[in-house]
Amino acid sequence: MKKSGSSTPYVELEEIGVSLDLVLRRTQIAPPEFRKVTQKQPKAAKIGKTKNITHDMAGSKLATVHMTKQNLSEMPQIRMKGSKKKEGVEGEKKKKKLKRFDGEEQ
């Protein structure tokens, strides 16, 4: 950037690298039969849209899975140790005997 008399700087661009002049040289269009054959793509090259798959902003895949409704009463359930029914009356706790160091029981 170079100095200028105004508040905005003076910007001058210089070309770097290779410069190309592209010219369209084909003026005659191919016959329709030949054009149809050349533009044909094999079915294996076509990529079909996958259903129920989307991508989020981060680029990770999100999919929806369709399942039939499940009957929860027929499914085996894992029960936690604390949710098991305790033997005896719930309010009553078993008392453990504590041993003293001198060998007497409490």
Side-chain angles (χ1 to χ4, degrees), residues 18-35:
V18 180
S19 62
L20 300 173
D21 292 327
L22 301 175
V23 179
L24 183 64
R25 296 187 309 177
R26 180 149 183 116
T27 56
Q28 184 180 2
I29 299 174
E33 302 88 30
F34 184 70
R35 207 169 145 201

Side-chain angles (χ1 to χ4, degrees), residues 20-53:
L20 300 173
D21 292 327
L22 301 175
V23 179
L24 183 64
R25 296 187 309 177
R26 180 149 183 116
T27 56
Q28 184 180 2
I29 299 174
E33 302 88 30
F34 184 70
R35 207 169 145 201
K36 186 176 181 181
V37 171
T38 57
Q39 291 179 345
K40 192 173 185 180
Q41 292 182 350
K43 289 185 179 179
K46 293 181 182 178
I47 299 171
K49 185 176 187 262
T50 53
K51 292 183 178 181
N52 302 325
I53 295 177

Side-chain angles (χ1 to χ4, degrees), residues 64-90:
T64 46
V65 180
H66 300 283
M67 296 177 62
T68 58
K69 192 169 183 177
Q70 296 177 347
N71 189 358
L72 298 177
S73 62
E74 294 177 1
M75 290 178 61
Q77 296 175 355
I78 299 172
R79 306 208 180 199
M80 297 296 168
K81 196 172 188 179
S83 65
K84 290 183 181 177
K85 293 182 181 178
K86 296 180 182 177
E87 294 178 16
V89 183
E90 289 183 8

